[in-house]
PDB file of all heavy atoms in Angstrom:
ATOM      1  N   SER Z 255     102.917 147.178 164.422  1.00  0.00           N
ATOM      2  CA  SER Z 255     102.112 147.232 165.662  1.00  0.00           C
ATOM      3  C   SER Z 255     102.628 146.216 166.609  1.00  0.00           C
ATOM      4  O   SER Z 255     103.143 145.163 166.313  1.00  0.00           O
ATOM      5  CB  SER Z 255     100.627 146.989 165.307  1.00  0.00           C
ATOM      6  OG  SER Z 255     100.558 145.644 164.859  1.00  0.00           O
ATOM      7  N   PRO Z 256     102.503 146.464 168.140  1.00  0.00           N
ATOM      8  CA  PRO Z 256     103.025 145.569 169.116  1.00  0.00           C
ATOM      9  C   PRO Z 256     102.211 144.158 169.169  1.00  0.00           C
ATOM     10  O   PRO Z 256     100.964 144.281 168.688  1.00  0.00           O
ATOM     11  CB  PRO Z 256     102.764 146.299 170.438  1.00  0.00           C
ATOM     12  CG  PRO Z 256     101.679 147.220 170.119  1.00  0.00           C
ATOM     13  CD  PRO Z 256     101.891 147.679 168.723  1.00  0.00           C
ATOM     14  N   PRO Z 257     102.712 143.124 169.702  1.00  0.00           N
ATOM     15  CA  PRO Z 257     102.009 141.806 169.674  1.00  0.00           C
ATOM     16  C   PRO Z 257     100.878 141.968 170.584  1.00  0.00           C
ATOM     17  O   PRO Z 257     100.879 142.713 171.678  1.00  0.00           O
ATOM     18  CB  PRO Z 257     103.064 140.859 170.128  1.00  0.00           C
ATOM     19  CG  PRO Z 257     104.160 141.619 170.902  1.00  0.00           C
ATOM     20  CD  PRO Z 257     104.151 142.961 170.116  1.00  0.00           C
ATOM     21  N   SER Z 258      99.811 141.326 170.313  1.00  0.00           N
ATOM     22  CA  SER Z 258      98.567 141.343 171.203  1.00  0.00           C
ATOM     23  C   SER Z 258      98.751 140.509 172.470  1.00  0.00           C
ATOM     24  O   SER Z 258      99.752 139.729 172.643  1.00  0.00           O
ATOM     25  CB  SER Z 258      97.419 140.816 170.417  1.00  0.00           C
ATOM     26  OG  SER Z 258      97.845 139.354 169.997  1.00  0.00           O
ATOM     27  N   SER Z 259      97.947 140.714 173.447  1.00  0.00           N
ATOM     28  CA  SER Z 259      97.970 139.989 174.701  1.00  0.00           C
ATOM     29  C   SER Z 259      97.869 138.640 174.655  1.00  0.00           C
ATOM     30  O   SER Z 259      98.595 137.832 175.392  1.00  0.00           O
ATOM     31  CB  SER Z 259      96.968 140.624 175.724  1.00  0.00           C
ATOM     32  OG  SER Z 259      95.681 140.360 175.115  1.00  0.00           O
ATOM     33  N   TRP Z 260      96.997 138.095 173.771  1.00  0.00           N
ATOM     34  CA  TRP Z 260      96.840 136.601 173.745  1.00  0.00           C
ATOM     35  C   TRP Z 260      98.232 135.934 173.227  1.00  0.00           C
ATOM     36  O   TRP Z 260      98.439 134.825 173.522  1.00  0.00           O
ATOM     37  CB  TRP Z 260      95.610 136.212 172.890  1.00  0.00           C
ATOM     38  CG  TRP Z 260      95.773 136.627 171.445  1.00  0.00           C
ATOM     39  CD1 TRP Z 260      95.420 137.651 170.817  1.00  0.00           C
ATOM     40  CD2 TRP Z 260      96.321 135.679 170.428  1.00  0.00           C
ATOM     41  NE1 TRP Z 260      95.679 137.678 169.506  1.00  0.00           N
ATOM     42  CE2 TRP Z 260      96.225 136.403 169.316  1.00  0.00           C
ATOM     43  CE3 TRP Z 260      96.856 134.410 170.416  1.00  0.00           C
ATOM     44  CZ2 TRP Z 260      96.655 135.861 168.039  1.00  0.00           C
ATOM     45  CZ3 TRP Z 260      97.270 133.922 169.275  1.00  0.00           C
ATOM     46  CH2 TRP Z 260      97.199 134.649 168.006  1.00  0.00           C
ATOM     47  N   ASN Z 261      98.834 136.750 172.426  1.00  0.00           N
ATOM     48  CA  ASN Z 261     100.111 136.142 171.893  1.00  0.00           C
ATOM     49  C   ASN Z 261     101.178 136.039 172.995  1.00  0.00           C
ATOM     50  O   ASN Z 261     101.893 134.976 173.101  1.00  0.00           O
ATOM     51  CB  ASN Z 261     100.616 137.066 170.778  1.00  0.00           C
ATOM     52  CG  ASN Z 261      99.987 136.912 169.455  1.00  0.00           C
ATOM     53  OD1 ASN Z 261      99.295 135.855 169.249  1.00  0.00           O
ATOM     54  ND2 ASN Z 261      99.951 137.912 168.680  1.00  0.00           N
ATOM     55  N   LEU Z 262     101.074 137.004 173.961  1.00  0.00           N
ATOM     56  CA  LEU Z 262     102.073 136.866 175.203  1.00  0.00           C
ATOM     57  C   LEU Z 262     101.637 135.735 176.077  1.00  0.00           C
ATOM     58  O   LEU Z 262     102.508 135.000 176.551  1.00  0.00           O
ATOM     59  CB  LEU Z 262     101.935 138.209 175.902  1.00  0.00           C
ATOM     60  CG  LEU Z 262     102.471 139.481 175.236  1.00  0.00           C
ATOM     61  CD1 LEU Z 262     102.164 140.672 176.073  1.00  0.00           C
ATOM     62  CD2 LEU Z 262     103.995 139.373 174.902  1.00  0.00           C
ATOM     63  N   LEU Z 263     100.430 135.545 176.227  1.00  0.00           N
ATOM     64  CA  LEU Z 263      99.990 134.362 177.040  1.00  0.00           C
ATOM     65  C   LEU Z 263     100.351 133.003 176.455  1.00  0.00           C
ATOM     66  O   LEU Z 263     100.669 132.034 177.131  1.00  0.00           O
ATOM     67  CB  LEU Z 263      98.465 134.482 177.365  1.00  0.00           C
ATOM     68  CG  LEU Z 263      98.061 135.584 178.215  1.00  0.00           C
ATOM     69  CD1 LEU Z 263      96.460 135.662 178.321  1.00  0.00           C
ATOM     70  CD2 LEU Z 263      98.620 135.520 179.529  1.00  0.00           C
ATOM     71  N   SER Z 264     100.137 133.050 175.132  1.00  0.00           N
ATOM     72  CA  SER Z 264     100.524 131.786 174.401  1.00  0.00           C
ATOM     73  C   SER Z 264     101.900 131.457 174.517  1.00  0.00           C
ATOM     74  O   SER Z 264     102.338 130.258 174.338  1.00  0.00           O
ATOM     75  CB  SER Z 264     100.011 131.898 172.893  1.00  0.00           C
ATOM     76  OG  SER Z 264     100.741 132.876 172.281  1.00  0.00           O
ATOM     77  N   GLN Z 265     102.726 132.351 174.717  1.00  0.00           N
ATOM     78  CA  GLN Z 265     104.203 132.253 174.829  1.00  0.00           C
ATOM     79  C   GLN Z 265     104.732 131.710 176.238  1.00  0.00           C
ATOM     80  O   GLN Z 265     105.810 131.221 176.365  1.00  0.00           O
ATOM     81  CB  GLN Z 265     104.975 133.498 174.424  1.00  0.00           C
ATOM     82  CG  GLN Z 265     104.839 133.914 173.053  1.00  0.00           C
ATOM     83  CD  GLN Z 265     105.550 135.210 172.787  1.00  0.00           C
ATOM     84  OE1 GLN Z 265     106.193 135.811 173.696  1.00  0.00           O
ATOM     85  NE2 GLN Z 265     105.456 135.609 171.515  1.00  0.00           N
ATOM     86  N   GLU Z 266     103.760 131.868 177.212  1.00  0.00           N
ATOM     87  CA  GLU Z 266     104.192 131.361 178.672  1.00  0.00           C
ATOM     88  C   GLU Z 266     103.987 129.863 178.716  1.00  0.00           C
ATOM     89  O   GLU Z 266     103.086 129.332 178.139  1.00  0.00           O
ATOM     90  CB  GLU Z 266     103.334 132.037 179.780  1.00  0.00           C
ATOM     91  CG  GLU Z 266     103.518 133.530 179.739  1.00  0.00           C
ATOM     92  CD  GLU Z 266     102.689 134.130 180.789  1.00  0.00           C
ATOM     93  OE1 GLU Z 266     101.792 133.384 181.475  1.00  0.00           O
ATOM     94  OE2 GLU Z 266     102.802 135.324 181.002  1.00  0.00           O
ATOM     95  N   LYS Z 267     104.900 129.205 179.440  1.00  0.00           N
ATOM     96  CA  LYS Z 267     104.833 127.748 179.687  1.00  0.00           C
ATOM     97  C   LYS Z 267     103.770 127.415 180.606  1.00  0.00           C
ATOM     98  O   LYS Z 267     103.691 127.789 181.800  1.00  0.00           O
ATOM     99  CB  LYS Z 267     106.159 127.212 180.107  1.00  0.00           C
ATOM    100  CG  LYS Z 267     106.147 125.674 180.195  1.00  0.00           C
ATOM    101  CD  LYS Z 267     107.510 125.122 180.597  1.00  0.00           C
ATOM    102  CE  LYS Z 267     107.545 123.670 180.683  1.00  0.00           C
ATOM    103  NZ  LYS Z 267     108.882 123.214 181.047  1.00  0.00           N
ATOM    104  N   PRO Z 268     102.782 126.480 180.268  1.00  0.00           N
ATOM    105  CA  PRO Z 268     101.700 126.250 181.237  1.00  0.00           C
ATOM    106  C   PRO Z 268     102.238 125.360 182.367  1.00  0.00           C
ATOM    107  O   PRO Z 268     103.117 124.427 182.205  1.00  0.00           O
ATOM    108  CB  PRO Z 268     100.645 125.447 180.278  1.00  0.00           C
ATOM    109  CG  PRO Z 268     101.532 124.993 179.162  1.00  0.00           C
ATOM    110  CD  PRO Z 268     102.643 126.017 179.030  1.00  0.00           C
TER     111      PRO Z 268
END
Side-chain angles (χ1 to χ4, degrees):
S255 63
S258 59
S259 59
W260 67 270
N261 288 333
L262 293 175
L263 293 175
S264 64
Q265 292 177 0
E266 296 180 357
K267 182 177 181 180

